[in-house]
Amino acid sequence: YGATYKQKNNFPVSVEQFLAIGGNLLRKRKLDEAIKILKLNIEHYPYCVSAYDSLSHAYQLQGKKQLAVLYNQKGAAIKNVAN
């Protein structure tokens, strides 16, 4: 996925596109793929709270509670800084 984070016309993928792709993969229960996309979202948009929330949800669905809590806390920390 790392090499494919740009669209065919070589424009960067937006936050919303990353979230939509990640959300679609989560709904299809393609958790490993969703996690890769959501991590890319965080890598490219580190202040996107929704990406942390979605990644936390993906880890929760995988049964990885510690990672779910970690990313939930990271998202909360960004929210607190913004307020």
Side-chain angles (χ1 to χ4, degrees):
Y1 287 102
T4 61
Y5 80 91
K6 291 190 175 186
Q7 297 173 339
K8 291 179 185 177
N9 54 9
N10 218 23
F11 290 107
V13 176
S14 71
V15 171
E16 294 81 10
Q17 290 170 316
F18 271 124
L19 289 173
I21 294 166
N24 285 334
L25 290 168
L26 283 175
R27 282 188 289 285
K28 294 177 181 178
R29 294 292 194 241
K30 295 183 177 185
L31 302 179
D32 291 334
E33 292 91 345
I35 288 169
K36 288 176 185 176
I37 292 295
L38 295 167
K39 283 184 173 182
L40 278 174
N41 193 3
I42 290 170
E43 181 181 320
H44 293 283
Y45 302 100
Y47 300 106
C48 178
V49 175
S50 297
Y52 289 92
D53 291 344
S54 295
L55 186 54
S56 173
H57 180 66
Y59 280 127
Q60 186 177 17
L61 291 173
Q62 274 192 332
K64 297 180 179 178
K65 293 179 184 181
Q66 288 181 327
L67 285 170
V69 169
L70 173 69
Y71 282 98
N72 190 353
Q73 290 172 342
K74 287 183 177 191
I78 292 169
K79 285 181 197 175
N80 290 336
V81 170
N83 292 333

